[in-house]
Structures are given as structure tokens and as C-alpha cells.
Amino acid sequence: MIKYLKRGKDVQVRADDDAKVRATVEGIIKDVEARGDAAVRDYSRQFDNWNPADFRLSRDAIEKARKSLSAREIEDIAFAQKQVRNFAQIQRDSMKDVEVQTHPGVILGHRNIPMDAVGCYIPGGKYPLLASAHMSVLTAKVAGVKRVVATAPPYQARPIRPS
């Protein structure tokens, strides 16, 4: 006889939950479109208990975060970045531009053109996923994206996780 330790939610309950999440997210997006940074600040206070003077980290804050790392951590980060950058370059090199004349006057082909700007979300908070930063930011840079913006949630109302 089958003994269930836990059962999944009913299909209709899941659909109702999905609809509630969708409505909440759509409302937040509309609010940010309407009120801009003021809405972002309100949601930051509401969800993250974080109300910084500026959402962009200063050079001092970045340097403070870097100084909180051990030499081994810095070496490990550099190693990971080198591996990701190398593989991203291999991938980029495999995507060749093509141009061929298939018939007199008929030229067909494609070009790989990087986007002008991308935004990268880096999961953080209690369980940060540092590799996401490497894999999204470095890959975009290797692809030739001119402007790469990264964002991550604060940890306990701080922009960086304390050592």
C-alpha cells in the first residue's frame, strides 16, 4: 500500500496561487513604471528592509567588500572568472558570421551582434549564488555588450553579506 508523506497542491489551488503571484508582480511592475525610483525605494523598504541613500554601490562599499575577503577567496574568485571567461570566449568564437553569394546578386548570411545593454540579476540574500554573477556578467562582456548592469538583493538590510 502506498503511504504519502506529503501531497502536492490540487491543480486548481496551484492555478489560483499562480494567478495571485502574477497579479502581484504585474501590479509591482505597473507601479514602478508609474512612480519610478520612488516605487523601487518603497518596495526595497517593504521587502528587504533596506533604504540606502543610493542603490548603486559606491567605490568605497565595493572596496570594503573586497577587503573582507581572504586571499584564498580572491584566488578562488579569480580562478572561477578565468574559467567562465575562457568558456564564454570559446562559445563566442564558435558563432561565426556568415555571408555567402548563393546566386549572382543574391547574398545571404547572418551576423552576431551583441546587445547594447543587459541587466543581470544575481541571486543573493541568505543563500547568495556568486557563480550567477560570473556566468551572466562575464558572458555578456565576452559577447561584447557595452553596458552590463548587475543587481542583487541586500542581505539583512546590508548591501553585502558580512564576513
Side-chain angles (χ1 to χ4, degrees):
M1 181 164 118
I2 297 174
K3 179 180 177 185
Y4 291 96
L5 298 177
K6 183 177 180 181
R7 292 185 187 264
K9 291 181 180 178
D10 175 80
V11 173
Q12 186 57 50
V13 172
R14 287 194 322 255
D16 292 346
D17 288 349
D18 287 349
K20 288 176 191 173
V21 169
R22 190 176 307 109
T24 299
V25 171
E26 287 173 355
I28 290 170
I29 290 170
K30 285 179 183 175
D31 191 24
V32 170
E33 286 174 344
R35 297 190 308 122
D37 289 348
V40 171
R41 184 163 301 284
D42 287 346
Y43 290 116
S44 179
R45 281 192 296 258
Q46 177 184 343
F47 295 128
D48 297 319
N49 192 32
W50 194 43
N51 188 23
D54 191 349
F55 285 105
R56 179 180 291 197
L57 289 181
S58 68
R59 295 222 182 267
D60 288 340
I62 294 168
E63 186 61 22
K64 180 180 176 184
R66 194 191 67 70
K67 285 182 178 179
S68 75
L69 300 172
S70 70
R72 176 61 191 254
E73 289 169 323
I74 291 171
E75 287 174 24
D76 290 346
I77 290 168
F79 176 79
Q81 288 180 346
K82 182 178 178 184
Q83 298 304 305
V84 170
R85 188 179 289 111
N86 182 49
F87 187 67
Q89 188 62 56
I90 291 167
Q91 287 179 306
R92 177 64 182 103
D93 292 344
S94 75
M95 294 183 266
K96 301 292 182 192
D97 293 347
V98 174
E99 185 175 297
V100 62
Q101 184 167 321
T102 59
H103 192 279
V106 178
I107 300 173
L108 304 175
H110 67 257
R111 291 189 310 162
N112 294 291
I113 302 170
M115 301 178 82
D116 288 331
V118 298
C120 301
Y121 175 73
I122 299 149
K126 189 172 181 180
Y127 302 104
L129 298 174
L130 182 59
S132 295
H134 304 316
M135 291 184 283
S136 58
V137 173
L138 291 172
T139 301
K141 287 295 198 181
V142 169
V145 177
K146 293 178 183 82
R147 181 171 185 252
V148 179
V149 176
T151 186
Y155 179 75
Q156 295 180 347
R158 295 179 60 178
I160 59 171
R161 188 174 185 165
S163 300

